[in-house]
């Protein structure tokens, strides 16, 4: 048992509602706060002097100087296991071509499919390792990782096995998602529906058999899959026992309603969501996930985060870190930028990358500093939590604890 503190401010994120707008007055801030950690769990949270009195036999990790403590950050939507590069796509995009035009000309996701199929498992692991550890250094202690650049049975399983290996070997939790229904790949000889059936019958059963992922995702949009094909896939994947998430409303509207109808955990993107679907999403348990890195990478509008919150939705913010539309990563910087653009409070922004992000992954054991939950927390070298977003991601964590261990 270890007492860790005192922190100038300890923000627990406890008591934040799952849905709707949040003011900074709702943040629980413990001044000169501390945590008692036993194994990988939090045993107590409170004022340092009180915990030191109540736990006299605990070892002490003394925190010197200014320090703000937050729950470990959670990135709920990434594609950080890939091979090859999309620098050519990016050069074309900033020269004026659209994402869809580049895809129609043979670029886009299929470039990453070729690169990922060509890469060995060892090469994919090394790329994933570097990206995941960078995320960890920047305060992300839990990170979702999608397949979706293999798009045939052998390559999709290869990617998911690499993600599983990395989860076992690295000091960061990696949550795998099978995005085998990303697009119909360039070399598949058949219709979109026939490819979806191939995914359902030839890939996902082996994903289940090997316990490689319990989450499934699909991209429903122009250039990807139709609404009918998407709804069909989600019904079938749900019947197979997969938890669901959806790439929704990125370039056209009408797909977040499909996510809601399928009881998906989250609907991600939402840059083109309609007012009607904002209302549907707000009335549901599906978490809205904004991906500011994609908006930055494509030079397009952000998801309407302010409207979603004001209507009563639950909002998470994620990087969409991928080789094409969102190569930046850096969750804290992206959260800071969308908070300025969409006028999100500090409480709403922090909740979107901690407790509400945990809900998007159906993880009830993290995202809040509270007795019984995972001891995932991070420390910033400042005495005022407002400095973190004010510096737009340029104040990085000075210390990170994962499952109670300083990493």
């Amino acid at each position: 048992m270890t007492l860790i503190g005192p922190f100038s401010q300890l923000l627990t994120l406890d008591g934040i509602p799952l849905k709707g707008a949040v003011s900074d007055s709702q943040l629980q801030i413990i001044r000169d706060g501390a945590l008692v950690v036993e194994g990988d769990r939090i045993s107590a949270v409170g004022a340092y002097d009180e915990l030191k009195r109540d736990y006299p036999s605990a070892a002490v990790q003394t925190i010197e100087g200014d320090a703000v403590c937050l729950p470990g950050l959670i990135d709920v939507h990434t594609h950080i296991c890939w091979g090859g590069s999309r620098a050519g796509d990016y050069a074309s995009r900033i020269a004026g071509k659209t994402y869809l035009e580049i895809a129609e000309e043979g670029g886009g996701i299929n470039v990453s499919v070729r690169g990922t199929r060509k890469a060995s498992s060892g090469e994919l692991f090394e790329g994933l390792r570097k990206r995941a550890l960078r995320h960890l250094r920047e305060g992300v202690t839990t990170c979702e990782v999608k397949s979706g650049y293999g798009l045939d049975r052998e390559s999709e399983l290869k990617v998911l096995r690499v993600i599983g290996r990395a989860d076992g070997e690295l000091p960061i939790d990696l949550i795998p998602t099978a995005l085998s229904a990303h697009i119909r790949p360039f070399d598949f000889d058949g219709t979109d529906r026939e490819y979806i059936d191939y995914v359902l019958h030839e890939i996902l059963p082996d994903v289940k058999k090997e316990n490689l992922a319990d989450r499934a995702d699909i991209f429903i949009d122009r250039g990807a899959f139709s609404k009918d094909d998407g709804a069909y896939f989600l019904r079938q994947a749900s019947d197979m026992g997969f938890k669901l998430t959806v790439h929704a409303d990125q370039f056209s509207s009408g797909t977040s309603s499909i996510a809601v109808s399928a009881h998906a955990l989250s609907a991600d993107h939402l840059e083109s969501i309609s007012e009607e679907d904002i209302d549907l999403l707000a009335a549901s348990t599906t978490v809205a996930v904004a991906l500011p890195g994609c908006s930055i990478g494509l030079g397009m509008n952000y998801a309407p985060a302010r409207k979603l919150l004001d209507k009563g939705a639950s909002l998470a913010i994620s990087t969409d870190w991928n080789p094409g539309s969102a190569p930046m990563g850096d969750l804290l910087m992206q959260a800071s930028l969308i908070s300025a653009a969409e006028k999100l409070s500090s409480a709403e922004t922090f909740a979107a990358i901690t407790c509400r992000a945990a809900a998007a992954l159906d993880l009830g054991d993290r995202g809040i500093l509270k007795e019984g939950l995972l001891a995932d927390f991070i420390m910033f070298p400042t005495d005022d939590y407002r400095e973190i977003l004010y510096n737009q991601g340029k104040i990085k964590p000075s210390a990170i604890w994962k499952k109670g261990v300083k990493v």
Side-chain angles (χ1 to χ4, degrees), residues 169-189:
E169 295 185 16
L170 302 179
I172 178 174
D173 283 339
L174 302 179
I175 310 299
T177 300
L179 179 58
S180 306
H182 201 175
I183 61 168
R184 175 168 53 87
F186 64 94
D187 59 347
F188 183 81
D189 187 16

Side-chain angles (χ1 to χ4, degrees), residues 20 62 300 366:
T62 303
M300 64 187 297
R366 66 198 72 189

Side-chain angles (χ1 to χ4, degrees), residues 5-18:
F7 299 98
S8 309
Q9 295 178 330
L10 190 153
L11 279 66
T12 67
L13 275 295
D14 195 14
I16 299 295
L18 178 60

Side-chain angles (χ1 to χ4, degrees), residues 69-146:
C69 181
L70 286 171
L73 308 184
I74 300 171
D75 195 348
V76 306
H77 182 129
T78 83
H79 306 249
I80 59 174
C81 188
W82 78 75
S85 171
R86 300 261 286 282
D89 283 9
Y90 188 80
S92 296
R93 196 159 59 245
I94 61 177
K97 290 187 177 180
T98 69
Y99 181 89
L100 293 175
E101 286 171 343
I102 292 167
E104 289 168 357
E105 293 173 0
I109 292 168
N110 275 314
V111 173
S112 294
V113 172
R114 293 184 179 94
T116 301
R117 289 180 180 178
K118 182 179 178 181
S120 68
S121 293
E123 290 168 334
L124 291 174
F125 177 85
E126 183 59 19
L128 174 56
R129 185 189 69 82
K130 289 179 179 178
R131 298 175 195 115
L133 290 180
R134 197 197 92 181
H135 240 6
L136 181 64
R137 289 192 299 271
E138 295 176 348
V140 176
T141 53
T142 298
C143 179
E144 186 261 14
V145 188
K146 302 179 189 296

